[in-house]
Structures are given as C-alpha cells and as structure tokens.
Amino acid sequence: MRRLREWQDRLQDAENEIRPELDRMGKRESIYNGDHTIYKPDGTVAKKGSASHVRNLGFELVETQVESSIPSPKVTAIRAADEPLADIIENLLRNVLDRLPFERINDEGERISPIQGGHGLLVDWQDGISGRDWMGDLRVTMMHPRGIIPQAGVYQVADMDWIFLKTPATRRQIKTSFGVALEEENESDPDARRLGDSPDSSGEIVTLVTCYYRNSAGGIGRFRWVNDTVLEDLEDY
C-alpha cells in the first residue's frame, strides 16, 4: 500500500503540473464539438449568456484535413543481397496493418492531432492470448494526449524517470489480464477515454493507470493500478 500511495502522489503532482494544458485540451475539444460559450475580446469568458446558434467552423476545418488512407510500408535494403529480406519485412508489416484496427486508429488520430497537436500510440505485447503454434500477440492502442501524464517538470520522454498512462478498461478485461475481480471501483477519469465523452453509466468501465519507470538497474519497470487496487508491480518489465 505504501508503494501505491507513492505512485499516486507522483501522479497527482504530475497532473497538477500540467493542469493548465489539460484545461486547454478541454477548451479545444469543446470548440471542435461546437461550443456555445461567448468570449470577450480579451479571450475571457463572458459572464452571462451563450450563443443561440453556432456554425461549427472548428469542426469543418478539422474534417477537411482528414486523410483516411494509410501509406503502404516501404523497406529499402542497404545491400542488394538483402532485398529479399526487405520484401519479407514489408509483407510482415502489411500483414500487421491488416490484422490490427489501424483504419479506426488512423481515423481517430487524424482528428485528434489537428485539435490537440498530436496523439500517442501505445505498442505492447499481449501474453494472455494464444492459438495453434503461437502464443502472444502485438497490440497497438490509441492514446489521447489527455491520457498521457509526463513526469512533473520534465519535457523530454528520454529524460523522464517515470511517465503515466491512463486508459479505459472493462472489469472483464481486468479480470482476464490480471486475475483480479474489481468490486466497487469506478471510472476515476472519464476524460482518459476521449474529451467530451460522458462518464460511464453502466459501471463496467474503470480507469487503468500504468506507470513506466526507470528501475535501479537503469531498465524499465511497470506499475499498474485501478483506484486503490494494485494490479501489477514489475521491477524489470
């Protein structure tokens, strides 16, 4: 429990540090969704009233930039003798693009990036699934900037001692992945899914917090929790 409190305190410090940017993310998202707020010439919010009609120019400008096509992988061999290997890698990458939901990921990213200035992709490995003659599989998850919480006061990922990720997960996914049955935990941060989404009313969604950190040997450790329930503590991930 002491270790959990330590990471929760660090997460709170990190969120307090970037709170102004999180608020700006919310404002940008509301403009895209068609905000009726009336602003004064100096940019502050007017005390009274809201616009009765809004032409959503923010939405129109973003949607006109959406590019749904995904470039085909291209691998160039350094030596002529390695060209067959380059072809194999290209085919492998195309296979991964076909198997994973990259059309949806790209579609979301094409909208998030113009609004927020960028988005993240979490690439990890699933140990808990298998099939005939294979075990584990690649997983790629869209990360909204709201769900990426960097170490307070550090601006380059390579220089960080830790970084936090907030992702939505169902109770069943938590049970399957970690063997932990969550009882009373709820969704602590609905905005980690996507700004503008309403909180989950079914009680099935929770906020999974993952911390990647530098361990004492200089490697990467991983600590995961939901509210006050520790799910994983790997000193050497």
Side-chain angles (χ1 to χ4, degrees):
M1 184 61 69
R2 181 190 62 81
R3 187 166 169 79
L4 172 62
R5 292 292 179 238
E6 180 181 275
W7 285 118
Q8 286 178 329
D9 289 343
R10 288 172 175 171
L11 173 60
Q12 187 62 56
D13 291 341
E15 288 184 316
N16 291 339
E17 180 75 17
I18 66 167
R19 178 57 55 188
E21 182 58 37
L22 295 177
D23 293 339
R24 285 191 289 270
M25 287 184 192
K27 182 178 179 180
R28 290 192 290 265
E29 197 94 7
S30 66
I31 291 173
Y32 172 78
N33 290 326
D35 189 9
H36 287 250
T37 303
I38 299 176
Y39 293 93
K40 297 179 181 179
D42 62 0
T44 59
V45 177
K47 293 183 178 180
K48 295 182 179 179
S50 60
S52 59
H53 175 74
V54 174
R55 178 176 178 182
N56 198 342
L57 292 177
F59 175 86
E60 293 179 19
L61 291 172
V62 170
E63 293 299 314
T64 55
Q65 300 179 60
V66 172
E67 174 56 62
S68 59
S69 63
I70 301 176
S72 181
K74 175 60 179 175
V75 179
T76 302
I78 297 176
R79 295 180 293 269
D82 293 333
E83 289 183 359
L85 298 178
D87 291 338
I88 292 175
I89 296 174
E90 284 186 7
N91 292 333
L92 174 63
L93 294 174
R94 275 192 287 268
N95 177 265
V96 171
L97 286 173
D98 288 340
R99 287 191 300 107
L100 298 180
F102 272 100
E103 290 82 3
R104 175 183 58 79
I105 292 174
N106 179 71
D107 190 67
E108 292 181 13
E110 285 286 330
R111 289 166 171 82
I112 293 174
S113 288
I115 298 170
Q116 305 294 358
H119 65 276
L121 293 176
L122 175 62
V123 181
D124 61 355
W125 188 258
Q126 302 179 90
D127 290 323
I129 62 174
S130 62
R132 183 176 180 180
D133 299 328
W134 62 274
M135 179 175 292
D137 198 8
L138 181 69
R139 176 173 58 187
V140 179
T141 307
M142 163 67 66
M143 291 298 302
H144 192 288
R146 171 79 188 203
I148 304 173
I149 312 297
Q151 182 181 0
V154 185
Y155 302 99
Q156 299 295 327
V157 175
D159 298 330
M160 294 178 186
D161 293 323
W162 53 77
I163 186 171
F164 299 94
L165 303 180
K166 286 186 170 184
T167 53
T170 65
R171 295 174 182 273
R172 182 178 180 277
Q173 289 171 336
I174 297 296
K175 175 66 175 178
T176 301
S177 300
F178 304 101
V180 177
L182 300 176
E183 299 297 335
E184 300 180 358
E185 285 79 357
N186 54 17
E187 190 176 23
S188 59
D189 190 356
D191 288 340
R193 287 184 284 146
R194 177 178 170 84
L195 291 177
D197 279 357
S198 59
D200 172 59
S201 59
S202 67
E204 292 300 318
I205 305 296
V206 295
T207 302
L208 171 64
V209 182
T210 302
C211 175
Y212 293 97
Y213 63 93
R214 296 187 189 278
N215 58 31
S216 57
I220 302 298
R222 188 171 70 182
F223 191 83
R224 286 178 160 176
W225 74 89
V226 171
N227 291 343
D228 290 329
T229 302
V230 177
L231 302 177
E232 182 180 65
D233 186 1
L234 297 177
E235 180 69 21
D236 189 8
Y237 168 58

